[in-house]
């Protein structure tokens, strides 16, 4: 009788589900955290892409009617408004505006420019002490009366 009770206790499966759950839970939490981190990263990349595109379009549409430097200031203000957290935008180099000629070289005169490239860079915090730089660039072609997005260069 005692032998039977001991065998029954050893073969009991009462705590099996709890042990399996305890073994699988860390893996499930790791996968969930990875999904959240990648979602956060993709959201920020999408946000920076759209912000760079909006700023470049603003410069192209308004630079014919106004001073170029004022238009660039407006584009920087658009970037500051669109970025989810203004503190992630570096003090220098956060927004770069370049005038490009037909071959893609940087020029300084607005009259020689064929297109405008706006580059936006943010430092996205991913952990308490680490950051990841998210960079996006948009190039728009300047045409009289219309603005078209220039094809991306590889």
């Amino acid at each position: 009788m005692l032998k039977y009770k001991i065998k029954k206790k050893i073969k009991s499966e009462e705590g099996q589900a709890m042990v399996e759950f305890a073994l699988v839970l860390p893996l499930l939490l790791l996968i969930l955290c990875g999904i959240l981190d990648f979602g956060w990263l993709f959201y920020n990349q999408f946000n920076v892409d759209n912000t760079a595109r909006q700023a470049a379009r603003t410069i192209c549409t308004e630079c014919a009617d106004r001073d170029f430097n004022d238009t660039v200031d407006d584009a920087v203000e658009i970037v500051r408004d669109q970025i989810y957290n203004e503190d992630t935008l570096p003090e220098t180099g956060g927004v770069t505006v370049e005038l490009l000629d037909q071959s893609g070289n940087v020029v300084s005169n607005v009259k020689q420019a064929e297109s405008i490239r706006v580059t936006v860079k943010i430092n996205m915090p991913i952990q308490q002490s680490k950051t990841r730089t998210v960079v996006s660039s948009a190039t728009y072609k300047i045409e009289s009366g219309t603005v078209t997005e220039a094809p991306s260069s590889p």
Side-chain angles (χ1 to χ4, degrees):
M1 182 80 148
L2 183 62
K3 193 175 181 184
Y4 175 72
K5 284 184 180 182
I6 292 174
K7 275 189 177 182
K8 187 176 180 186
K9 198 120 178 127
I10 291 175
K11 290 185 179 184
S12 175
E13 296 180 9
E14 288 179 14
Q16 178 185 356
M18 192 178 347
V19 171
E20 287 176 359
F21 180 71
L23 291 173
V24 173
L25 182 64
L27 181 63
L28 291 176
L29 288 177
L30 184 67
I31 291 171
L32 179 66
C33 289
I35 290 170
L36 292 175
D37 282 347
F38 277 109
W40 180 244
L41 176 69
F42 289 137
Y43 165 76
N44 282 299
Q45 184 66 54
F46 181 74
N47 191 15
V48 171
D49 288 345
N50 284 338
T51 301
R53 204 173 297 124
Q54 180 72 25
R57 186 160 171 44
T58 299
I59 292 174
C60 283
T61 57
E62 295 180 5
C63 73
D65 302 331
R66 299 174 50 206
D67 180 47
F68 179 72
N69 291 329
D70 291 341
T71 308
V72 170
D73 291 340
D74 288 349
V76 170
E77 198 60 38
I78 286 172
V79 171
R80 292 198 181 282
D81 289 343
Q82 296 289 327
I83 297 296
Y84 75 97
N85 183 356
E86 191 176 316
D87 296 335
T88 61
L89 204 59
E91 289 295 320
T92 57
V95 180
T96 308
V97 178
E98 298 171 314
L99 298 168
L100 306 174
D101 64 7
Q102 192 170 10
S103 60
N105 299 322
V106 177
V107 295
S108 58
N109 188 351
V110 179
K111 303 292 183 197
Q112 296 173 341
E114 285 283 322
S115 57
I116 292 177
R117 178 174 45 218
V118 175
T119 304
V120 178
K121 176 172 57 172
I122 66 167
N123 294 322
M124 184 185 80
I126 53 174
Q127 290 178 355
Q128 289 179 344
S129 61
K130 296 181 181 179
T131 60
R132 181 187 188 284
T133 302
V134 178
V135 179
S136 182
S137 186
T139 304
Y140 273 80
K141 192 173 180 182
I142 303 172
E143 295 183 9
S144 59
T146 183
V147 177
T148 57
E149 188 168 6
S152 300
S153 57

